Amino acid sequence: MTTLKELTKTSHELAEAHPFTKHLISGNIEDDVYATLLANQLLQYKYLEDAAKHIFDTLPGLARADLILQDLAELDAPVFIYDVTNNYCDYVQTLNDHDLLAHIYVKHMGDLYGGQLIRTKVPGNGLMYLFSDRQLIIQQLRAKLDVSMADEANKCFDMTLNLFDRIADEYDL
């Protein structure tokens, strides 16, 4: 049986291989570059989490926006907010629950897994990557997912790659 993970594998591999991602996990990311990522993520996560509040209410401990804000506050660096972030924020407000779950899968499952490595490589405490009961949250989120979310999940990956492109271009990565 094909899984959502298999149907998004190519997108996931593109995200992992992106020059920005490589810089992020190099252990050498500069405060201003990471702060710009956090500022853009803060907006994206806030809009997603607000649009899907009733879903997050069933997944205690998964929401990240408040923790991203705390991580951003640790860094004293100028940031850029990109048009791709504003476009994402507008877009998620148009989605139904099914499609919102696809975005939660890409963003929050990424934090639950890859975020565990990223947390050790970035400036600050990386609070956004800390979960009170990571395994339980993963199990509860997986129970809400299905393969019919693959197209929307791949769109979310594309939007994430657009943000990575903008940051990489801005900082010559």
Side-chain angles (χ1 to χ4, degrees):
M1 181 175 158
T2 304
T3 65
L4 182 57
K5 182 178 180 180
E6 291 168 337
L7 293 171
T8 59
K9 182 179 184 201
T10 299
S11 294
H12 188 254
E13 289 172 347
L14 287 171
E16 285 182 332
H18 195 282
F20 174 74
T21 306
K22 289 183 177 185
H23 188 65
L24 179 65
I25 63 172
S26 71
N28 297 314
I29 191 164
E30 302 82 359
D31 286 6
D32 58 336
V33 178
Y34 187 55
T36 291
L37 172 66
L38 288 175
N40 283 271
Q41 283 185 314
L42 176 60
L43 289 173
Q44 290 183 357
Y45 278 59
K46 179 75 173 131
Y47 273 80
L48 175 58
E49 291 171 5
D50 285 351
K53 183 176 181 343
H54 57 287
I55 296 171
F56 282 92
D57 287 345
T58 69
L59 297 164
L62 183 60
R64 301 284 96 190
D66 291 341
L67 297 167
I68 295 170
L69 180 59
Q70 290 177 48
D71 285 341
L72 183 57
E74 284 187 78
L75 305 175
D76 183 23
V79 299
F80 296 95
I81 301 298
Y82 300 108
D83 58 337
V84 295
T85 293
N86 294 321
N87 294 343
Y88 180 85
C89 294
D90 291 342
Y91 180 72
V92 296
Q93 294 179 82
T94 70
L95 300 178
N96 61 31
D97 287 356
H98 179 268
D99 292 342
L100 287 167
L101 275 165
H103 287 253
I104 294 166
Y105 166 70
V106 172
K107 293 190 168 297
H108 294 75
M109 198 66 90
D111 298 334
L112 285 158
Y113 281 98
Q116 303 314 295
L117 169 66
I118 294 168
R119 186 176 78 77
T120 68
K121 304 291 184 179
V122 295
N125 291 317
L127 297 177
M128 73 171 285
Y129 304 113
L130 294 175
F131 294 88
S132 59
D133 193 341
R134 192 172 147 269
Q135 289 305 319
L136 178 62
I137 295 170
I138 290 169
Q139 179 184 5
Q140 291 173 333
L141 179 53
R142 275 195 186 135
K144 296 180 180 297
L145 304 173
D146 65 66
V147 295
S148 68
M149 298 171 181
D151 286 345
E152 192 62 36
N154 282 315
K155 283 182 192 175
C156 184
F157 271 113
D158 288 344
M159 292 175 174
T160 300
L161 289 169
N162 287 340
L163 175 59
F164 289 0
D165 286 343
R166 294 302 301 271
I167 295 172
D169 289 348
E170 186 76 41
Y171 293 99
D172 295 320
L173 303 176

